[in-house]
């Protein structure tokens, strides 16, 4: 039940999604430069899951079948599951330097396990069984899943019904055999290279039933179009004839896409909610609890790489023993581990939701805190690393120059650092660090996973201020 | 084996320490205004330990005797013990708004359990048994203990032997029946109101054997003089004829003291190290691991009180629904819980030290992080609370004015806030919050428990940078 | 026309204000411990103004009379005046370590010069001439003035008329010979020790005419009651029999008071606005422009003292050459000078308002920025100084202990630092620094002079975002 | 004497520098995509100088010839010159969104004016006259100049002579007719598109005479090789067939290069220092004073663009009236204007150096502060802008997709924001903002212009701590 990298690659080979990047149609997801990195990263999840060294982190035993499965498709059933999931997240970012692509899918499965259970408990019976069947199918083939949850939203001062109704993904037709979806999902990391996209809704109100839809959509389903982001990193890779001159050769940066649904048909057996707006708040809450606490370890994993590269470059600059450089290292460590600690606490303070469902979610407050700490922390990491590395982290010439012997001689002479460290390695590491500190990474970390404002409000709303007031009163009034 | 508040008060009654505060000799620790608050706080530790509601937090079962004892005298034997200790710390600061006074003593007992065990394993057998006997004695009477660990140090660019040798506490004479101590310990919180002071050394070098001394000193031992700090809070309390006009009526602020040892005799059965400099590094490390992770929850408890008072005052100002005030609440919560999360992680990542000793210590890195986060965080808390409360948090007249009917009428009229909140309560809460945000609290939080620089260095030294470098290299060089 | 310290003291001797502090009636402003510090500070403004060394900073030539007068009563008529005023502010805080007490009064005079001029230009002629006459009177006697501008406000979610109407100072009766005032002014720094309180309104709306009142009130006018703040610093001083053991012996901390007006009569010749709500917005704007840019230099002056004390203590700790201590110094300097630079820019970008009035005001945006930078900056200063000084900054015993020879010997031995620095001086400097870093100072700096939120909004509202948008569009669309 | 854009372009046409970017030889600086942006930006300096609207900012009257010249070649002779230079800097970054390329050259001319004057005063007469002649030549043709000052440095724990001596630019031969240079200059912004590179040394010691060299090198001199940086922005532009899909279409990002000198001959009339190590400290000091205070306004200009784009996107998201978004605007404004204010203060506190030279330099402390505030501030700007803009600032598809009608229809539908704002403009503005917040900009701002540590040390060393200590003592000891 633990799929191999090869099986995954074989499946991807069969998908023919309609997708565009940089103005061009993607011909083959497996080989296109901008999607190959995603494939490599998802493949890495399979590779590590098959490595016995990482069994505890990367796999789990499914309570639904008793089989060992990928933790990325696991419904968390314990505090330990919550803890191992964040270890998985950090391991993956340490191992690839980018988004593993399946993290949101794992969240989505957990969200739907809880939500369909809640509906079942309330007498809306059809979805739970259907979801469990679907889950077993996912487990059996160890499919990679992605979460389709953020609609484009258009004008945010308006509700879905006050503007083009398609700016939020919605059901435009219910048919005997299934439903028809129209709209889009935005900022969809890695969606093009997974097997399944799991759609679920968040926080809709009465009257907005058409938006209360959860379902599973296979990669490249009829009617779907993918538009990949096109940051300069993406453009650089697209134009490059040698990936080993790029910042993160194999795995690249986080690759997101806009996924447009033009009347996509979904058969009923893949539909897990359809109109039950009442439960979209639970989806929202479950999604935040399942997901947000992973954002910290994800950035801590990037931070580990940045720390390592900074150490290398400090040595190579001859400055690794300098007090202010050591202070920079300490700052990076503090930022990484603060966000990690908040996440681990979210796991340890996790609980079952809804009661009786057997589905465990991390604590919302500490999860949110992990992300908020990652937001500020990652910028501190970036600043400290830039400080350590110095100017070449942005001003280094292309390593392609090294292919010409004369230019190579000049650059190896003039970009030299400490005598015993090969200048090629030094150049490589500058480009690697450049990829993290002079790139979209920090902005992605800041914005991805929920707007900071809403996270701060979750922190506020999740805290019992009345209880704190009572504590203050007791002491202020000198009650013994 | 769980002592009562009354037993404790009875014992304190018997102590006659030679102590000075604000230029005056303290006549009675139980009634002196500047020591009564300490007595109240230590008494609170007994009171809560006797409350069945807090049994899990406040008490533990001693592995040495199988009896239930105060957790403040417990040798941590598990992760759960480490976790409960920090819950105890936060509960105590939430309940008193000040230092519980026994926290360092708990640390000291754990440090000596580990260190004497290590000496025993190395064949230095006399201390461990002696220490266990002493521990049983402490448990039997549920004595309150304090840690005596920081020497005045004088000129920090000089070692102990390069200046007045007494600036570090030392053994000046070894006698047949015991040792004679000379020197001082500085910043000793609450020492005057505990039963026992536990002396231990940290990080001495060869040649500094006289300083490698650990022992237990009874309160008010012959030759000891206490000089209490004299901040303006202390002066205010000393001068006040009505404690209910003070910021924290019963428990006051943290009260530290300089404790001077003028040739104090300690019998051998109370001596747990004498000259074994090699083990002072272990003392240092054990002390940091046992102690520092409590600093975060301690400040988070203060932060809870500040949050509660801020909420009260925001309501009373009619501003509790204002967006920027809610952002202030979110900031306070974030600061409190970030430091708490780092501490909890330190507990969960704790481990036995030395192997086989059965003594558990929190993880040093996350412990240190908890303190560093508390340092910055507490100032954020203070700023946000001042922002919420507004000017009266510093400019309020004395509540003593209320005793005069005419002045009372004027103040109740002009200091009024929201109509349904009694102005007396509003005044009370302003004074309470003043005590936390316009006082030595923040500076104490910043400085206490170890200089930030050394904590940052511990974070740096405790991190395996080589491993991070390897992670970076693997990805930078595109190794699959 | 430049008054002497002696003349000022002579005048104060004559005032008999009804005032309370700490529950007691103040008998004599000149000798009461809590008001003597204010008198000392105001006296210092006269002393420095008479010192030829400070002529350019402390004095100016009045355009109204051609005489040299105190700059604290000067109507700014040029950029240089604006610049010299902030130099005066920094000089005063450097020289006293507390609020000079006359700064708000200077603001008030400038506000009224502009506002009465604007009314005159609009045909409301009586006030301007009256104000100029009053101003000449102030200049002639070099009276010290204070600004009475902040009403208590009560429930801030309600307007003045929606609650007890007296919570904002108002005119309750207009008589043939003058007006009658009722209400209060809060957070009034030093008011009790100046000659005149200058009342002016800010931002009232139609229907709130009773609140649109500006006038001059003599110290101790019939019907006025002062309630002094009572922080622990105030309590400490009140109780102390030796001011030389206090943090700032002569000048103390900022002393504010609640000033209550119970039907106070003001003759028409002292009334400068009465009902013209339309002009209260100009008062508000002029007040901010005249005043807020002084807040930065004020805190920079405190910061200079803190920097000096930190340097002393670093030397005395033997740590003044340590890299992380030097970084602390750099942080303090950066914070001090950043707020100063914002203020100086506000001065340089100042302008006349209203056109033709000849009254110069600092730029609002840079003024506001100076205060916002002072807010954050002062806490950075406090943290860095606490870091430099170490634990004794909060845990030092009272210097009163030194009066006893035996205790003196003990303390001088055990509180010793670097051998060549007298321990008494070291103790003195610890107490001095304590007064700044473990006291209400930082909270006062944070809150005083306008709530940070309103300052941020002023920054936003004062910036032409449309123009910035146009700049962005020009480049984004590649317009040459 | 004010050159035109056309004259500049004509000159550049004639230069044939040996230069490489991304592994390729640059064929024509005027048309190569990675150098055309630099040419456009330098051309803009001429265009604006010819615009009468900007005469005061962009031009000045030369004291050497009495002619009106470009301010970028002007030797500052007054405070107003210092002020106008920073206005020029902000105007240029507001107008191009990138480095103007001539700023360092202006610094270099001022450095050499002061240094050659100082040598002349000390009796080393040949350089000053030679420099003035050269300056007149520059003025006559209004040449664009660049500063060549930072050597690669190699292992920073070693001095120039302890490693490959060429890692610092040096004189390898003195000939009758001139000198021969070998080595390199790193991080050279825009060097390839200016007329002249002005070499000057900083802070060399006795024994390092070969490094004490100042001279003027014409663009593309024999023996010079340029290696351009190759960030992903550069790669994107190189690969793009439509610059109007790039973030900053015409001017691009800051383009730096490594400039290698392989035995370059410089005739004596272009040599302004050769071996006089004693004066290299003055060069260093003059360079910092002339240059660093421009770094703040430079980033404030970027910040203005970011603010404008953020405002546009907030409107387009329907969120421009939301409180937390307005707070973000306020943060951006505060950061921009704080750094600007520090710089303006540096200008106002400027002074002549050396005395009698007539050359004015900004104050070093406030200049350094401007840069330090820009460092932290720019990251705050970037964070706030990302917060305002939301996810599309990193996840937007390429605008090239719009060229296909079907894809255009889909994207215009699904990327729509507020109904009345064209979606194409919205996409354009997202890409524009992406260029500033998810790019090397922030890291360049952080690192460029001097390592933060050295700036902090300049702040420390430039402050008279003894004087501050005296202020503290005066108050602490209660001296009247």
């Amino acid at each position: 039940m633990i799929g191999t990298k090869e099986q995954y690659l074989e499946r991807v080979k069969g998908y023919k999604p309609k997708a565009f990047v940089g103005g061009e149609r993607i011909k083959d997801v497996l080989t296109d430069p901008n999607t190959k990195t995603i494939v490599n990263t998802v493949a890495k999840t399979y590779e590590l899951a098959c490595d016995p060294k990482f069994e505890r982190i990367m796999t789990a035993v499914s309570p639904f079948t008793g089989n060992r499965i990928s933790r990325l498709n696991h419904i968390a059933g314990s505090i330990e599951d919550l803890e191992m999931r964040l270890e998985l997240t950090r391991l993956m970012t340490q191992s690839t330097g980018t988004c593993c692509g399946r993290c949101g899918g794992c969240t989505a499965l957990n969200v739907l396990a809880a939500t369909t259970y809640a509906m079942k408990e309330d007498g809306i019976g059809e979805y739970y069984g259907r979801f469990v069947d679907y889950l077993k199918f996912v487990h059996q083939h160890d499919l990679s899943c992605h979460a389709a949850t953020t609609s484009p939203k258009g004008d945010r001062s308006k509700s879905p019904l006050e503007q083009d109704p398609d700016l939020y993904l919605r059901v435009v037709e219910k048919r005997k055999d299934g439903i028809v979806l129209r709209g889009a999902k935005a900022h969809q990391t890695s969606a093009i290279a997974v097997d399944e996209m799991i759609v679920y809704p968040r926080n809709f109100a009465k009257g907005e039933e058409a938006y209360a839809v959860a379902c599973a959509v296979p990669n490249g389903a009829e009617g779907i179009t993918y538009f990949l982001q096109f940051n300069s990193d993406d453009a650089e890779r697209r134009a490059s004839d040698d990936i080993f001159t790029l910042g993160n050769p194999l795995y690249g940066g986080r690759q997101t896409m806009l996924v447009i649904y033009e009347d996509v048909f979904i058969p009923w057996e893949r539909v897990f909610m359809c109109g039950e707006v009442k439960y979209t708040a639970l989806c929202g809450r479950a999604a935040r609890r399942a997901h947000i606490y992973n954002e910290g370890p994800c950035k801590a994993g990037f931070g580990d790489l940045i720390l390592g590269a900074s150490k290398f470059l400090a040595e190579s600059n001859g400055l690794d023993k300098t007090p202010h450089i050591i202070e920079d290292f300490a700052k990076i460590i503090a930022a990484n581990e603060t966000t990690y600690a908040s996440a681990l606490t979210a796991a340890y303070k996790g609980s079952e939701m809804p009661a009786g469902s057997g589905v465990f979610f991390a604590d919302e407050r500490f999860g949110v805190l992990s992300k908020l700490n990652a937001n500020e922390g990652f910028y501190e990491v970036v600043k400290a690393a830039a400080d350590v590395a110095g100017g070449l982290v942005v001003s280094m010439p292309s390593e392609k120059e090294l292919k010409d012997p004369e230019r190579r001689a000049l650059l190896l002479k003039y970009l030299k650092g400490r005598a015993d460290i090969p200048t090629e390695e030094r150049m490589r590491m500058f480009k690697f660090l450049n990829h993290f500190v002079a790139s979209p990474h920090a902005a992605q970390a800041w914005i991805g996973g929920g707007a900071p404002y809403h996270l701060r409000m979750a922190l506020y709303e999740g805290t019992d201020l009345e209880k704190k007031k009572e504590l203050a009163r007791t002491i202020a009034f000198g009650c013994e």
Side-chain angles (χ1 to χ4, degrees), chain A residues 5 38 79 138 152 254 267 329 414 417 432 470:
Chain A
K5 177 177 165 176
I38 317 179
I79 296 292
V138 167
R254 174 188 281 211
F329 293 147
Y414 285 108
F432 175 74
E470 208 39 51

Side-chain angles (χ1 to χ4, degrees), chain A residues 7-52:
Chain A
Q7 289 167 332
Y8 159 71
L9 292 174
E10 193 59 32
R11 287 197 306 280
V12 175
K13 208 183 200 171
Y15 303 140
K16 302 292 171 203
K18 184 177 166 194
F20 301 93
V21 63
E24 297 174 17
R25 173 81 193 244
I26 289 174
K27 296 205 187 73
D28 179 358
V29 172
L30 276 180
T31 57
D32 183 276
N34 292 112
T35 55
K36 191 174 184 350
T37 51
I38 317 179
V39 172
N40 286 347
T41 314
V42 176
K44 193 78 177 182
T45 64
Y46 290 100
E47 187 188 318
L48 295 187
C50 292
D51 184 338

Side-chain angles (χ1 to χ4, degrees), chain A residues 187-453:
Chain A
H187 327 306
Q188 302 291 290
T189 310
S190 307
I192 202 173
V194 297
D195 297 296
E196 299 275 317
M197 295 189 292
I198 315 289
V199 170
Y200 65 92
R202 284 197 285 196
N203 307 316
F204 287 100
K206 226 173 158 178
E208 301 174 340
E209 282 74 14
Y211 301 103
V213 58
C215 59
V217 186
N219 184 323
E222 179 77 28
I224 284 190
T225 309
Y226 302 79
F227 283 101
L228 276 74
Q229 78 183 24
F230 204 64
N231 274 313
S232 33
D233 275 3
D234 308 309
E236 178 184 32
R237 181 171 292 270
R238 192 143 200 88
S240 179
D241 50 7
D242 178 1
I243 61 167
F244 290 97
T245 63
L246 300 174
N248 183 344
L250 299 179
Y251 308 109
R254 174 188 281 211
Q255 179 52 277
T256 69
M257 53 212 70
L258 176 69
V259 184
I260 296 176
Y261 292 68
E262 289 182 280
D263 294 358
V264 175
F265 173 75
I266 312 289
W268 282 114
E269 65 265 25
R270 283 177 157 267
V271 176
F272 314 122
M273 179 188 289
C274 187
E276 293 79 4
V277 279
K278 183 185 159 191
Y279 297 92
T280 60
L282 176 58
C283 279
R285 191 166 164 73
R288 185 171 281 163
R289 289 186 61 181
H291 200 76
I292 200 84
Y293 85 114
N294 282 289
E295 296 278 345
C298 169
K299 273 63 192 182
F302 294 158
D304 289 328
L305 298 173
I306 293 172
L307 177 59
S310 300
K311 180 60 162 40
F312 181 100
L313 290 171
E315 289 168 3
S316 153
N317 287 340
L319 292 173
D320 56 308
K321 303 295 181 219
T322 305
H324 75 275
I325 296 294
I326 288 175
E327 292 271 6
D328 281 326
F329 293 147
K331 271 186 207 162
I332 297 176
I333 297 165
N336 287 347
E337 303 307 344
T338 293
T339 189
Y340 173 81
S342 309
L344 195 67
T345 302
Y348 281 128
K349 299 273 182 191
S351 61
E352 194 187 40
M353 176 176 80
S357 67
V359 190
F360 269 64
F361 290 91
D363 179 79
E364 185 172 354
R365 284 203 320 153
F366 287 102
V368 152
L369 199 57
S370 173
K371 177 66 169 76
L372 286 169
N373 284 329
N375 281 7
E376 293 292 345
F378 197 69
Y379 275 102
E380 293 310 304
V381 166
V382 159
K383 289 192 279 186
D387 201 42
V388 170
L392 282 175
V393 80
V394 284
S395 72
M396 207 188 64
S398 171
E399 290 166 82
K400 288 182 199 164
E401 311 292 0
L402 300 181
K403 290 173 187 172
D404 174 82
E406 190 190 331
R407 289 182 243 159
R408 177 184 183 85
L410 279 178
L411 289 179
L412 295 192
K413 175 177 172 71
Y414 285 108
L415 296 181
K416 192 169 189 167
R418 210 175 75 191
D420 61 338
I421 295 174
T423 304
E424 293 97 322
E425 293 196 9
R426 178 168 151 86
M427 289 177 71
R428 189 83 284 275
M429 210 54 103
F430 270 119
K431 180 70 180 173
F432 175 74
L433 190 60
N434 172 281
H435 174 72
F436 287 96
V437 307
S439 73
H441 257 276
Q444 282 170 336
W446 184 260
I447 302 167
Y453 171 71

Side-chain angles (χ1 to χ4, degrees), chain A residues 90-138:
Chain A
R90 189 165 183 172
L91 174 63
M92 281 307 305
T93 50
Q94 282 181 339
S95 304
T96 64
T98 190
C99 175
C100 83
R102 294 175 67 185
C103 188
C106 182
T107 291
L109 295 173
N110 280 270
V111 166
L112 292 180
T115 310
T116 56
Y117 179 87
M119 289 194 278
K120 188 191 72 174
E121 290 297 290
D122 289 356
I124 307 171
E126 68 264 42
Y127 300 119
Y128 186 69
R130 208 186 266 169
F131 173 72
V132 170
D133 288 346
Y134 173 73
L135 186 66
K136 287 179 182 166
F137 161 74
V138 167

